[in-house]
Amino acid sequence: MNIGPHFLANNLFAAPMAGVTDRPFRRLCRQLGAGYAVSEMVTSRRDLWNSLKTSRRANHDGEPGPIAVQIAGTDAEMMAQAAAYNIDRGAQIIDINMGCPAKKVCNKWAGSALMRDEALALAIAQSVIAVCAPRDIPVTLKMRTGWSQSHKNAVALARAFESAGVQMLTVHGRTREQGYGGHAEYETIAAVKAAVRVPVVANGDIDSPQKARDVLAFSNADAVMIGRAAQGRPWIFREVAHFLATGTLLAPPLVAEVRRLLLDHLRDHYQLYGEFTGVRSARKHIGWYVKELPGAAAFRQRMNGIEECERQLHAVAEFFDELASGCDRMPAAPAAAAASPEQTVAVTQ
Ligand SMILES: Cc1cc2nc3c(=O)[nH]c(=O)nc-3n(C[C@H](O)[C@H](O)[C@H](O)COP(=O)(O)O)c2cc1C
């Protein structure tokens, strides 16, 4: 599929997750089969652009294209300026955040809170498109199904955004009110897809190849976006791609491969964040990788006492060497293991 002039390798997208989908993690997801990965949101507040956090988020060195940057804010003019700022720093696609329920964002009426003020939401889209269109930069938008169960306006907004020139819409199948509770529903995503001609991306609770297939079939969406299920399992993209192409499940990856992937991920992570922040912020990723493995709790505890890159790398290598002495492959993901028993094929990656 395409987003404007950009051809994507497939229709499996890594979701933007603040504090998670930084450049090293996006690169890994792309390497492991995601056709597209959107950056963590960048604030539209100009006074924060020089902060270390925002400048790290605006750094796309070595990232495979198309480079998509998500912007968040409440003021149409500031959002337009944020789009221009990020285009000047390499963004090839600008994504507008109307999906994030975090308080920090919502108290300022940004993120999914914007869905409650349709006129402002539309004004923001128009203003961002006005600076992006002359530069041939497609504008996409990510939203939820609505503000609350009684205020599901994703279809009406989708039509308005399409008329304004938004070129792709991602819908997380929850309302703002739900936060991350309950379950995502895909009826509203199907209704959005039926209402517009631009590509629609289905998001929410997709955690296995079978679920990806079912959501694509049910919603008729053009692509699926995976967030939390990729934390510590970035190879989920290749598992979904393989299943959609062949109808068979890949065997879980070899422990030796995951050891290598994680060590490479950590080195890339330290390069972006430096030793002090890097070792600390890497702990959550390491925790996700080992979550289902024997000895995970004690290992995570041990990680908290380590403050140097070399020692963290060494401890991770040792943990996986120990694991490899007892088994060849990682355990199957809980969601995939519980799903229907299609034929499983073993591959050596
Ligand atoms: C830690 C975390 C951070 C997130 N940050 C963002 C963000 O910056 N922008 C955004 O549009 N959505 C954000 N989201 C929402 C995800 O992109 C996605 O819509 C949501 O997690 C549902 O998909 P999933 O069930 O596959 O995780 C975040 C989610 C999580 C868990």
Side-chain angles (χ1 to χ4, degrees), residues 12-18 20-22 25-26 29 34 36-40 70 142 170 203-204 224-228 230 237:
L12 309 175
F13 297 0
M17 290 184 284
V20 182
T21 50
D22 51 14
F25 189 69
R26 293 197 298 276
C29 291
Y36 185 60
V38 185
S39 76
E40 313 160 88
Q70 187 185 67
K142 180 162 174 287
T170 300
N203 168 240
V224 284
M225 177 179 273
I226 299 177
R228 289 164 298 173
F237 296 102

